[in-house]
């Protein structure tokens, strides 16, 4: 096999060779079969002045290895690949001191490619306890803080390791690379390093621009999953304290601070950072800390002058509302529905920033799924906002609006009684009458938007009815659908193009 692998590699390096993809597939299969250590003994990289009998450089193997390393010993990365990365970095610095910029860039790129292999070596190695030593953990933590070029590779590796080990530790898969007991032991081993890593990650997160935070947040989430609930709650209290202090001095960003160029080079305000960190801990909070997050979210949702903070407030509430029914966070949300959440959403409808609408609609959909009979007035109170949301310029906001309408319709189909007085805030005798919660009533409430004064609202109403009719037509009486069709088809000849276009969309739906 060694001879075959060498011959394929030699052909792969020929400039005129036309089957490089097929050669890469063969070499990739060899890497998966024998592992990187044996593979590199057959085909050494020959980088950083390390010469072998066949001293041809094979830097092109690094990207190939990245895609095919699985369940390889982490110890090999620590003992061989990490020193290689150090040699490449040292050589790059030497070239910089000599003014040889091109060579320096080449060796810097090679260094980053070696670091990129870490994620593959972290894909459930069997030697986690033996190889993930305090010294190696400290090295990763220091480089993550001090060497921005390797930060993404280190975070991706840690996230891969933690996520895979956590999944194996809490499932009973019989054919995994390590047993469940081994995974549990590895998870406990990694959890010992979590407090120091989280402190380091929080610092890096606070100093990083928003666009460069995705992998940092993913790594933080992975570490939170392996530590105890008490540790998470203690950390959350510290974050909430810093959030409270930041809000006292927070000023909404200026127009110049919201430009793409500025955001790419500067970290967000401290209040934004602390809110993000508080939200990511939401799934692990006990009842007391979840209550702290709810209070903070209410304050943030009222920040109409700072759309990003307001958005994060709604996102925090959504994160709590989407937890399992038995979790303290979800139970807290359900207990706060009638007295706090529903009134807050109704009262704040006029002060919603454009950038917050999607997260607000997502929250409305989550809350609508589990409304009790005494809370059904939430649907008519918020229905018009969901309908208008179907015309949002942002596609994700539009999708959230349609999803909200479908969830509301599904809840109405389950029956109940709607207190219209609570929905409208009007004690008028006719409006205060209770209405049955049915799909037909939901369509009637939606159709009220057809009497709006603006073409924008009329077209939004037609679009909303089209979508919910497509979803629920099998549950409606044929006569009701015919009457609904007759009403909307009158708008096909409307003199406003936006309304006529929405009506033609309705025609397409009923023709399907």
């Amino acid at each position: 096999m060694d001879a075959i692998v060498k011959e394929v590699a030699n052909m792969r390096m020929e400039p005129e060779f036309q089957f490089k993809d097929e050669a890469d597939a063969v070499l990739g299969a060899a890497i998966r079969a024998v592992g990187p250590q044996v593979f590199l003994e057959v085909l050494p990289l020959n980088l950083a002045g390390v010469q072998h009998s066949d001293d041809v450089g094979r830097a092109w193997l690094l990207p190939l290895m990245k895609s095919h390393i699985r369940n390889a010993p982490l110890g090999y990365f620590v003992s061989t690949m990490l020193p290689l990365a150090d040699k490449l970095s040292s050589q790059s610095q030497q070239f910089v001191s000599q003014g040889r910029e091109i060579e320096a860039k080449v060796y810097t790129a090679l260094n980053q490619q070696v670091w990129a292999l870490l994620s593959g070596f972290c894909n459930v190695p069997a030697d986690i306890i033996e190889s993930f030593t305090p010294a190696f953990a400290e090295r990763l933590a220091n480089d993550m803080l001090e060497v921005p070029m390797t930060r993404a590779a280190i975070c991706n590796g840690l996230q891969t390791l933690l996520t895979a080990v956590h999944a194996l530790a809490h499932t009973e898969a019989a054919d995994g690379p390590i047993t469940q007991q081994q995974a549990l032991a590895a998870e406990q081993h990694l959890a010992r390093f979590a407090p120091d890593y989280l402190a380091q990650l929080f610092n890096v997160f606070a100093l990083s621009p928003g666009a460069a935070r995705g992998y940092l947040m993913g790594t933080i989430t992975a570490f939170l999953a392996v530590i105890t609930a008490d540790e998470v709650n203690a950390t959350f209290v510290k974050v909430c304290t810093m959030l409270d202090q930041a809000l006292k001095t927070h000023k909404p960003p200026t127009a110049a601070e919201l430009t793409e160029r500025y955001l790419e080079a500067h970290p967000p305000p401290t209040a934004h950072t602390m809110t993000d960190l508080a939200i990511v801990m939401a799934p692990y909070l006990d009842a007391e800390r979840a209550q702290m997050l709810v209070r903070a979210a209410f304050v943030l949702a009222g920040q109409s002058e700072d759309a990003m903070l307001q958005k994060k407030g709604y996102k925090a509430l959504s994160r709590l509302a989407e937890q399992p029914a038995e979790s303290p966070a979800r139970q807290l949300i359900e207990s706060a529905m009638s007295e706090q959440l529903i009134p807050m959403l109704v009262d704040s409808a006029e002060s919603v920033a454009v950038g917050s609408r999607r997260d607000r609609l997502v929250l409305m959909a989550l809350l609508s799924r589990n409304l009790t009979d005494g809370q059904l007035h939430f649907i008519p109170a918020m229905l018009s906002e969901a309908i208008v949301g179907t015309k949002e310029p942002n596609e994700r906001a539009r999708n959230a609006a349609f999803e909200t309408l479908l969830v509301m319709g599904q809840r109405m189909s389950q029956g109940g009684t709607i207190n219209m007085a609570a929905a409208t805030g009007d004690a008028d005798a006719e409006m205060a009458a209770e209405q049955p919660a049915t799909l037909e009533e939901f369509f009637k409430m939606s159709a009220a938007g057809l009497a709006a004064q603006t073409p924008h609202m009329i077209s939004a109403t037609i679009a909303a009815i089209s979508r919910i009719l497509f979803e629920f037509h099998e549950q409606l009486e044929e006569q009701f659908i015919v009457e609904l069709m007759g009403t909307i088809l009158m708008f096909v000849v409307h003199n406003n193009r936006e309304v006529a276009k929405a009506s033609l969309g309705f025609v397409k739906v009923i023709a399907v």
Side-chain angles (χ1 to χ4, degrees), residues 8 51 80 98 227-228 236 305 322 339 356 413 459 509:
V8 171
Q51 300 298 321
T80 303
Q98 297 172 356
I227 63 176
T228 65
F236 176 80
E305 296 181 356
E322 69 186 12
E339 300 297 327
S356 306
S413 70
S459 63
V509 171

Side-chain angles (χ1 to χ4, degrees), residues 96-141:
V96 169
S97 66
Q98 297 172 356
R100 301 164 64 179
E101 297 296 332
I102 295 178
E103 292 93 334
K105 290 181 179 178
V106 170
Y107 275 79
T108 297
L110 291 174
N111 170 267
Q112 293 181 32
Q113 288 181 328
V114 173
W115 270 108
L117 301 179
L118 176 61
S119 182
F121 282 97
C122 287
N123 192 342
V124 200
D127 60 340
I128 296 174
I129 296 177
E130 296 80 9
S131 298
F132 202 93
T133 62
F136 180 58
E138 184 179 2
R139 169 65 190 275
L140 293 183

Side-chain angles (χ1 to χ4, degrees), residues 236 303 393 475:
F236 176 80
Q303 301 283 334
Q475 302 177 45

Side-chain angles (χ1 to χ4, degrees), residues 197-208 213-214 216-221 224 232-233 235-243 269-285 293 300 309 312 315-316 319:
Y197 268 114
L198 284 172
Q200 198 83 296
L201 284 164
F202 284 2
N203 289 333
V204 176
F205 187 83
L207 298 174
S208 301
R213 288 181 162 187
L216 292 170
M217 184 60 77
T219 310
I220 290 171
T221 303
L224 290 173
V232 176
N233 284 287
T235 304
F236 176 80
V237 172
K238 296 177 183 177
V239 170
C240 265
T241 301
M242 289 187 282
L243 173 60
T270 303
H272 293 192
T273 297
M274 293 302 113
T275 303
D276 287 335
L277 294 175
I279 291 173
V280 78
M281 288 184 262
Y284 311 100
L285 301 181
L293 183 55
L300 297 173
L309 267 186
K312 293 179 188 298
K315 186 176 181 179
R319 186 62 60 86

Side-chain angles (χ1 to χ4, degrees), residues 72 113 181 184 217 281 298 306 308 312 321 339 363 387 391 413 443-444 450-451 466 488 496 510:
Q113 288 181 328
Q181 290 74 19
L184 284 168
M217 184 60 77
M281 288 184 262
F298 274 49
D306 190 335
M308 187 57 68
K312 293 179 188 298
E339 300 297 327
L363 176 60
I387 290 175
K391 305 293 286 186
S413 70
F443 275 87
K444 292 176 183 178
L450 298 173
S466 300
I488 294 181
N496 182 274
I510 62 177

Side-chain angles (χ1 to χ4, degrees), residues 481-498:
I481 296 177
V482 170
E483 294 175 359
L484 186 64
M485 289 169 51
T487 301
I488 294 181
L489 288 178
M490 293 189 298
F491 291 92
V492 173
V493 294
H494 198 280
N495 57 9
N496 182 274
R497 185 175 182 274
E498 184 181 8

